[in-house]
């Protein structure tokens, strides 16, 4: 099928490459001419493992193209996937301006029947809004709307797209459902479950999934606080509850709070949607409050590691991205951490294997280093903020020799507290027996 994917970011590029790999002819469009030019030259604008291979394979085999010409992409496609950003507004609601702009452009240039698919995460009711915009075009052509939320995780996006736990299709007419099944035909034959429902339910599934996962994270982070108060070990508690198949082991890793481009904005958006309909989604409101508190608590951990003050101290930060295997800095917990430490007078050195370009646009007065050892050199404390694999096997003796004081604050519980003690470190981690 001829498909246009509008918006060539983390989701649009993976979707475009993935749909091309399924055998469709795909044109990926973006208003960012620099991004499209880079892609045309074979350069991938984001860090996502395996993405370069799947993009180049499909470009070479003639199924994947890049363009800034949205009208032409609309005209030449049967299905149009909208994958533009839906960032949060100041009040927590999703900003739909990019989605609406694309819908208006489709309405203006459509030249035959079109299936318009929302891949972006959008508030419940957006499918109907797009339908209305398309209906107002008055050009006699019929466009139908489907919701097809994306569940990929940055860092394993290709695997998640090519072998998802499920494909959700929200549509109200048979033809749209059949077209969507045709587009995803290889997944159908792999017996991946398809959840076919109406547009509103599909839109809500995406928010409900992220809200539920965020709830698990805030829950275990509060258990970590209790462990610190009571002398427990959150790792053992997580394992103890996670082995219960009704609970499951995933998303029970205590840490510095959830971040990234999805959980904070989607939980805020679902709370906002509920409020607009006169309902207070109390669990989610609490999840958001807990997450903010947990992020602030992390600053306190570094202060505690340095006996009550970071004023004039140099702190080395290992990892800046919101999680490993991505360069995405959106809503990373390292942002409030570094800002909080700087406000208390600390000097910051930092290293991340992939996110330093993006981080350099966010932070002021941070010295970016080439590796973990340069970061530790002369620092009063070293903070493990993102659990990249290369921080899991640090040469601890070398680190101890480089640090001014042997203080490690491990916000990802990468190391064993006993071992760190025996290696001569003052070691602070999350929810592991150290009384707050
Ligand atoms: N990043 C994730 O892990 C993830 C996962 C699932 C769902 N989502 C959702 O997918 C959507 C996209 O997220 P993302 O992370 O890919 O965002 P992104 O910011 O990386 O990409 C969005 C792209 O859309 C482009 N764009 C904006 N307006 C445009 C227009 N009028 N025409 C063409 N291109 C336009 C931007 O230039 C940008 O390249 C969001 O709704 C997000 O919530 C993201």
């Amino acid at each position: 099928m001829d498909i246009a994917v509008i918006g060539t970011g983390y989701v649009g590029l993976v979707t475009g490459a993935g749909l091309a790999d399924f055998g469709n002819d795909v044109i990926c469009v973006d208003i960012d001419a620099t991004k499209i030019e880079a892609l045309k030259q074979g350069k991938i604008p984001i860090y996502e493992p395996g993405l370069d291979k799947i993009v180049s394979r499909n470009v070479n085999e003639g199924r994947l193209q890049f363009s800034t010409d949205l009208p032409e992409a609309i005209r030449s496609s049967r299905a149009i996937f909208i994958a533009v950003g839906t960032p949060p507004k100041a009040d927590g609601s999703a900003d739909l301006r990019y989605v609406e702009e694309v819908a208006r452009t489709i309405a203006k240039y459509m030249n035959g029947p079109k299936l318009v698919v929302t891949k972006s995460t959008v508030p419940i009711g957006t499918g109907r809004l797009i339908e209305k915009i398309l209906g107002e075009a008055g050009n006699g052509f019929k466009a139908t709307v489907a919701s097809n939320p994306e569940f990929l995780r940055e860092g394993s996006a290709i695997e998640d797209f090519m072998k998802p736990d499920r494909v959700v299709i929200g549509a109200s007419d048979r033809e749209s459902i059949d077209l969507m099944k045709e587009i995803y035909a290889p997944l159908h034959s792999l017996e991946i479950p398809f959840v076919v429902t109406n547009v509103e339910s599909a839109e809500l599934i995406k928010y409900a999934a992220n809200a539920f996962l965020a709830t698990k994270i805030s829950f275990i982070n509060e258990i970590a606080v209790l462990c610190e108060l009571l002398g427990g070990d959150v790792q053992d508690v997580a394992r103890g509850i996670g082995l219960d198949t009704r609970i499951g082991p995933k998303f029970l890793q205590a840490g510095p709070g959830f971040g990234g481009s999805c959980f904070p904005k989607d939980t805020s958006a679902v709370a906002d949607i509920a409020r607009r309909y006169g309902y207070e989604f109390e669990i989610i409101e609490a999840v958001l409050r807990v997450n903010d508190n947990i992020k602030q608590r992390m600053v306190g951990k570094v202060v505690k590691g340095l006996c009550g003050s970071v004023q004039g101290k140099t702190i080395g930060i290992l990892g800046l991205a919101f999680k490993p295997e991505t360069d995405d800095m959106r809503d990373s917990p390292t942002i409030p951490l570094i800002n909080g430490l700087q406000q208390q007078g600390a000097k910051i050195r930092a290293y991340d294997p992939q996110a330093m370009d993006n981080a350099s646009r966010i932070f002021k007065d941070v010295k970016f280093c080439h590796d973990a050892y340069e970061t530790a050199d002369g620092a009063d404390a070293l903070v493990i903020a993102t659990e990249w694999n290369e921080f899991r096997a640090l040469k601890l003796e070398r680190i101890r020799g480089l640090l001014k004081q042997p203080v490690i604050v491990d916000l990802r519980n990468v190391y064993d507290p006993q071992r760190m003690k025996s290696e001569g470190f003052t070691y602070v981690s999350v929810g592991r027996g150290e009384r707050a």
Side-chain angles (χ1 to χ4, degrees), residues 9-11 30-31 35 84 86 121 150 154 261-262 265 330:
Y10 286 86
V11 166
D30 207 287
I31 39 168
K35 196 178 264 191
V84 296
T86 47
T121 303
E150 182 50 55
E154 287 172 19
S261 68
C262 291
K265 95 173 163 59
R330 288 177 284 184

Side-chain angles (χ1 to χ4, degrees), residues 6-13 29-32 35 46 70 82-87 98 101-102 105 119-122 149-154 206 210 261-262 265-266 322 328 330:
I6 318 301
T8 311
Y10 286 86
V11 166
L13 186 53
V29 184
D30 207 287
I31 39 168
D32 184 339
K35 196 178 264 191
I46 53 170
L70 183 50
I82 303 179
V84 296
T86 47
Y98 307 107
E101 196 181 304
V102 172
T105 313
K119 197 50 142 168
S120 301
T121 303
V122 291
E150 182 50 55
F151 300 95
L152 64 78
R153 295 161 297 173
E154 287 172 19
K206 175 65 192 175
N210 276 357
S261 68
C262 291
K265 95 173 163 59
D266 293 349
F322 82 97
D328 200 340
R330 288 177 284 184

Side-chain angles (χ1 to χ4, degrees), residues 93-217:
S93 65
D95 188 345
L96 286 178
R97 94 177 81 153
Y98 307 107
V99 171
E100 289 179 32
E101 196 181 304
V102 172
R104 279 193 295 272
T105 313
I106 298 172
K108 188 168 171 195
Y109 291 102
M110 63 192 226
N111 57 344
K114 304 287 171 189
L115 171 63
V116 178
V117 186
T118 43
K119 197 50 142 168
S120 301
T121 303
V122 291
I124 297 87
T126 305
R128 294 284 161 246
L129 174 72
I130 296 173
E131 212 163 56
K132 188 165 164 276
I133 294 173
L134 296 169
E136 281 162 3
N139 53 17
F141 297 117
K142 186 171 149 262
T144 51
V145 173
S147 165
N148 173 222
E150 182 50 55
F151 300 95
L152 64 78
R153 295 161 297 173
E154 287 172 19
S156 56
I158 306 299
E159 166 91 9
D160 291 344
F161 190 88
M162 303 307 281
K163 231 173 157 271
D165 291 337
R166 77 300 207 188
V167 174
V168 174
I169 297 172
S172 50
D173 66 293
R174 193 69 251 165
E175 191 187 9
S176 300
I177 294 166
D178 289 344
L179 283 171
M180 290 300 288
K181 286 190 174 165
E182 195 183 322
I183 291 168
Y184 282 106
L187 297 186
H188 219 241
S189 51
L190 279 176
E191 297 191 7
I192 303 284
F194 277 51
V195 179
V196 180
T197 180
N198 62 19
V199 172
E200 286 73 16
S201 305
E203 290 169 341
L204 187 52
I205 285 169
K206 175 65 192 175
Y207 278 115
N210 276 357
F212 190 81
L213 294 171
T215 302
K216 269 186 113 174
I217 296 172

Side-chain angles (χ1 to χ4, degrees), residues 248-383:
K250 294 186 179 162
F251 285 79
L252 289 180
Q253 177 69 46
F258 57 78
S261 68
C262 291
F263 285 3
K265 95 173 163 59
D266 293 349
T267 42
S268 298
V270 79
D272 173 78
I273 294 162
R275 259 181 259 124
R276 276 168 205 258
Y277 283 83
Y279 182 70
E280 190 175 344
F281 197 154
E282 293 190 47
I283 290 178
I284 291 307
E285 302 278 3
V287 163
L288 284 161
R289 276 197 307 276
V290 169
N291 200 46
D292 283 344
N293 294 341
I294 292 293
K295 285 180 181 174
Q296 288 313 319
R297 235 182 124 78
M298 298 302 121
V299 178
K301 281 188 178 290
V302 183
V303 174
K304 178 186 160 200
L306 285 169
C307 302
S309 172
V310 293
Q311 174 66 43
K313 303 274 169 62
T314 300
I315 315 290
I317 309 278
L318 296 186
L320 294 165
F322 82 97
K323 67 172 185 179
E325 297 300 330
T326 182
D327 58 355
D328 200 340
M329 282 297 299
R330 288 177 284 184
D331 253 312
S332 173
T334 58
I335 299 172
L337 174 71
I338 290 177
N339 289 342
L341 291 170
Q342 286 180 326
Q343 274 159 19
Q344 295 195 34
K347 295 184 212 106
I348 305 291
R349 306 162 66 79
Y351 166 68
D352 186 285
Q354 294 293 339
M356 289 200 290
D357 263 6
N358 287 337
S360 66
R361 288 189 275 274
I362 295 174
F363 297 118
K364 281 203 193 88
D365 301 323
V366 168
K367 159 118 180 71
F368 292 103
C369 302
H370 293 102
D371 62 14
Y373 302 97
E374 191 193 343
T375 313
D377 196 3
D380 293 278
L382 193 63
V383 179

